[in-house]
Amino acid sequence: MPSTFPVRHLHLDLDGVDVFYRSAGPTDAPVVLLPHGYPCSSYEFRNYMARLGDRWHLVAPDFPGCGYSATPDTFAYDFDGYADFLDRFTQRLGIARFALYLHDFGSQIGLRLAIAQPERIAALIVQNGDIYEDTLGPKYAGLQQFFANPTQAARDELAQAVSLDGFEEEFLNEVGPDMALRIPPDLWHLHWALMTPRRRQIAVDVIAGLKDNLAWFPRYQAYLREHQPPTLIAWGPRDGYMPEASARAYLRDLPNAELHLFNDGGHWLLETHLEEMVALNRGFLGRVHTVA
């Protein structure tokens, strides 16, 4: 049996906002920061954290408006707002430097923090996080149509995807039947149960805001080219949003990055390929991130 280590479930008052986060490992160990994706929360990292808590301090917050964190009226629910939250959250915990796990929309949020404070980034782990517009998968077609013609009717159609069925589709994505059996329905039922009318509105706004985020893609790429952080790219190509080409595109700017493809995997590798991902991440972090 693989060794597991306790995961702590904590709350923090951050500038008057109740923030829930998960933590594992010694607090004086090198830090791995884990910003989550959509439509998820820190729950996506629960098993991963439990496997690496012997050598690293792993920290995964729920963004405001997500998971078990509060949904304040005054928070800026956009990529800049979330990046600022990550900055304030890590500063509050006294975390100066960290490896950054980039997944889903957490990729763009994390990279905005990296652009602003590159000296804090020890390494990157990139797992199905898109920053190259020319390699976007076919599932982006509907979004791109909305970006081109953002009418209220189109927005209403977009909102229909923020639903229990829509969440199930997001989690299953394009994986085959065997891999789908490894993805627990807890993922979509838990996260849908935590939705409120306000959170649903926020989710639609964030999805609509992806258009503005596309303009940041060249900035993310420029950061990678300039700073060349040690990078592991671990990717599931069975992803209608981010196919294999989206992973290989990173090598344009990070020619020395390590690329590993899980050919039968999709967007949620920590559900379907946990042990392989843990072994791969453990080896990478052991080479590049061993000093706090």
Side-chain angles (χ1 to χ4, degrees):
M1 289 287 293
S3 297
T4 60
F5 306 90
V7 176
R8 299 176 289 274
H9 305 89
L10 304 165
H11 286 265
L12 171 69
D13 184 323
L14 184 64
D15 302 326
V17 177
D18 181 29
V19 174
F20 173 85
Y21 68 103
R22 300 170 201 261
S23 174
T27 56
D28 60 351
V31 174
V32 181
L33 180 62
L34 303 155
H36 64 81
Y38 170 85
C40 211
S41 65
S42 62
Y43 185 77
E44 73 169 278
F45 297 112
R46 66 202 183 282
N47 296 321
Y48 175 87
M49 298 173 74
R51 299 297 200 282
L52 295 173
D54 56 332
R55 294 185 61 189
W56 293 277
H57 179 204
L58 301 108
V59 181
D62 286 355
F63 288 120
C66 299
Y68 298 124
S69 287
T71 309
D73 292 335
T74 57
F75 186 79
Y77 293 99
D78 56 26
F79 289 91
D80 282 337
Y82 291 129
D84 175 69
F85 163 80
L86 275 186
D87 178 27
R88 291 184 293 112
F89 173 77
T90 52
Q91 299 284 4
R92 177 66 178 276
L93 292 182
I95 296 170
R97 186 168 165 82
F98 44 85
L100 187 56
Y101 194 113
L102 302 178
H103 178 235
D104 196 84
F105 84 159
S107 301
Q108 295 93 22
I109 295 165
L111 284 172
R112 291 194 188 204
L113 178 57
I115 289 170
Q117 302 179 39
E119 71 282 356
R120 301 182 70 190
I121 308 304
L124 300 178
I125 299 166
V126 184
Q127 192 252 298
N128 291 70
D130 53 316
I131 63 167
Y132 294 89
E133 189 171 1
D134 64 312
T135 64
L136 296 178
K139 276 185 173 287
Y140 264 100
L143 280 172
Q144 289 168 326
Q145 291 174 6
F146 170 78
F147 298 157
N149 187 29
T151 64
Q152 185 59 51
R155 185 182 178 88
D156 292 343
E157 185 174 344
L158 194 68
Q160 292 177 15
V162 185
S163 63
L164 179 60
D165 288 344
F167 280 17
E168 180 177 0
E169 169 63 22
E170 291 288 339
F171 284 112
L172 295 179
N173 205 321
E174 298 292 320
V175 297
D178 290 342
M179 285 300 111
L181 294 176
R182 300 186 185 184
I183 299 177
D186 310 359
L187 284 165
W188 53 91
H189 283 283
L190 167 64
H191 291 95
W192 181 247
L194 293 170
M195 293 296 283
T196 63
R198 174 65 179 129
R199 286 186 169 197
R200 191 165 182 253
Q201 179 186 7
I202 290 167
V204 175
D205 290 342
V206 170
I207 294 169
L210 288 170
K211 178 181 180 180
D212 295 332
N213 186 55
L214 291 176
W216 275 75
F217 279 16
R219 300 193 206 184
Y220 304 144
Q221 298 159 21
Y223 161 78
L224 298 178
R225 284 195 304 275
E226 178 180 353
H227 294 281
Q228 295 294 309
T231 301
L232 169 68
I233 305 165
W235 210 273
R238 300 292 295 271
D239 185 336
Y241 293 102
M242 308 166 202
E244 180 177 333
S246 297
R248 294 192 178 278
Y250 276 88
L251 299 178
R252 304 171 190 171
D253 299 307
L254 293 171
N256 296 319
E258 302 178 29
L259 172 63
H260 297 264
L261 299 173
F262 295 84
N263 290 323
D264 58 350
H267 195 72
W268 303 92
L269 289 176
L270 297 184
E271 301 296 337
T272 60
H273 294 73
L274 176 65
E275 300 308 332
E276 299 96 318
M277 282 289 287
V278 165
L280 187 62
N281 282 237
R282 181 177 287 278
F284 172 72
L285 292 170
R287 291 189 296 276
V288 305
H289 189 40
T290 57
V291 179

